[in-house]
Amino acid sequence: AQKVTQAQTEISVVEKEDVTLDCVYETRDTTYYLFWYKQPPSGELVFLIRRNSFDEQNEISGRYSWNFQKSTSSFNFTITASQVVDSAVYFCALFVYNQGGKLIFGQGTELSVKP
Amino acid sequence: DAGITQSPRHKVTETGTPVTLRCHQTENHRYMYWYRQDPGHGLRLIHYSYGVKDTDKGEVSDGYSVSRSKTEDFLLTLESATSSQTSVYFCAISDQGTGTDTQYFGPGTRLTVL
C-alpha cells in the first residue's frame, strides 16, 4: 500500500520560532518522488519542493529546509524563524509511477504563526 | 506560474442536476488531473488523462466522468450531483514526458450541492 501520513493536524507557534512538519510515507516502489505543497488561506496550492528517491541530500532554500531519510521513510520540513506569512496548510505528497503516475497526499498540517 | 485556469470558480447547484467543470492549460502538458479536497482527507485523485482521449480512473471516481478532446482542456462532469460531491475541485497538469513529474495546480473550483 502507498500512503502518506502527516501526524500533526495543527501546529501553532509564535513568530520567529522554528517549526518542523513531519511526513512519513509508505511505498514498495524503488523509484518515487516526494513533494511539499503549501496552501495559504487564499486556497491555491503552491509547489515548494520535489525530491527523488535516489537523492537523500538535505535541501535548504532560505528559511525552508527539508530532511529526507529513506531509513525511516520520512521527509520532514523545517521552517526557521517562522513568520506570520508562513501560516498555511502544508501537504506532503508521494508520487508513484504506477497507473500513469499519481500523487498521494497526506492529510495536511495546518500551521498557524502568531505575531 | 503554470498557465492553468478553472471555470467556474464557484458554483452552487441542486441535487440531481448535471455539472461540468472545466480545466484549461496553456502549457501544452501531456498529463492532466482532477482532485477533490475535503477536510480530513487531503487531496484525492478523481480521474486523470495522459493524452487526448486517453483517460483513467483515480481512487474516488464513482459519480464522475471526464473528457479530453483537446490537449488544453480537461472536463470533469458530475452526471447527477449529490451532496457528497460538495467539495473543492483542483485541476493539475504535469509534463511527465520531460521527466519533471511535478504537478502544478489550478486555482480550484468550490462546488456546493444543495
Side-chain angles (χ1 to χ4, degrees), chain A residues 33 35 37 39 43 45 47 50 91 95 97 99-103 105-107, chain B residues 31 33 35 37 40-43 45 48 90 96 99-105:
Chain A
Y33 289 84
F35 295 80
Y37 287 86
Q39 186 174 41
L45 281 155
F47 164 71
R50 179 179 72 117
F91 291 97
F95 178 88
Y97 278 93
Q99 293 187 311
K102 60 178 180 179
L103 273 176
F105 283 83
Q107 294 185 355
Chain B
Y31 282 74
Y33 306 81
Y35 291 86
Q37 182 179 21
H41 290 279
L43 281 86
L45 181 65
Y48 66 97
F90 285 96
Q96 284 185 259
T100 62
D101 302 323
T102 296
Q103 291 185 22
Y104 294 95
F105 287 81

Side-chain angles (χ1 to χ4, degrees), chain A residues 20-105:
Chain A
T20 295
L21 310 182
D22 297 333
C23 173
V24 174
Y25 63 94
E26 297 175 29
T27 182
R28 292 183 179 178
D29 291 0
T30 55
T31 301
Y32 54 89
Y33 289 84
L34 294 162
F35 295 80
W36 278 95
Y37 287 86
K38 174 182 180 180
Q39 186 174 41
S42 51
E44 72 272 24
L45 281 155
V46 179
F47 164 71
L48 295 178
I49 189 171
R50 179 179 72 117
R51 172 66 73 221
N52 75 51
S53 52
F54 298 107
D55 183 1
E56 287 193 71
Q57 282 190 328
N58 292 334
E59 175 138 351
I60 298 174
S61 176
R63 296 183 296 106
Y64 294 172
S65 62
W66 290 269
N67 183 358
F68 176 32
Q69 291 194 339
K70 288 180 74 171
S71 60
T72 56
S73 296
S74 64
F75 187 43
N76 296 336
F77 173 30
T78 297
I79 302 174
T80 303
S82 60
Q83 300 177 0
V84 173
V85 294
D86 295 326
S87 296
V89 180
Y90 291 86
F91 291 97
C92 180
L94 168 68
F95 178 88
V96 296
Y97 278 93
N98 64 359
Q99 293 187 311
K102 60 178 180 179
L103 273 176
I104 299 169
F105 283 83

Side-chain angles (χ1 to χ4, degrees), chain B residues 61-80:
Chain B
S61 59
D62 288 348
Y64 302 94
S65 62
V66 291
S67 65
R68 190 167 178 202
S69 58
K70 298 185 291 185
T71 299
E72 57 267 34
D73 289 327
F74 192 32
L75 304 181
L76 177 70
T77 296
L78 291 65
E79 301 290 349
S80 178

Side-chain angles (χ1 to χ4, degrees), chain B residues 43-100:
Chain B
L43 281 86
R44 293 177 293 173
L45 181 65
I46 305 171
H47 281 280
Y48 66 97
S49 169
Y50 46 96
V52 173
K53 297 192 190 315
D54 292 322
T55 65
D56 207 344
K57 297 178 180 180
E59 60 181 306
V60 289
S61 59
D62 288 348
Y64 302 94
S65 62
V66 291
S67 65
R68 190 167 178 202
S69 58
K70 298 185 291 185
T71 299
E72 57 267 34
D73 289 327
F74 192 32
L75 304 181
L76 177 70
T77 296
L78 291 65
E79 301 290 349
S80 178
T82 67
S83 58
S84 64
Q85 293 176 312
T86 292
S87 187
V88 180
Y89 291 85
F90 285 96
C91 172
I93 65 174
S94 169
D95 192 14
Q96 284 185 259
T98 65
T100 62

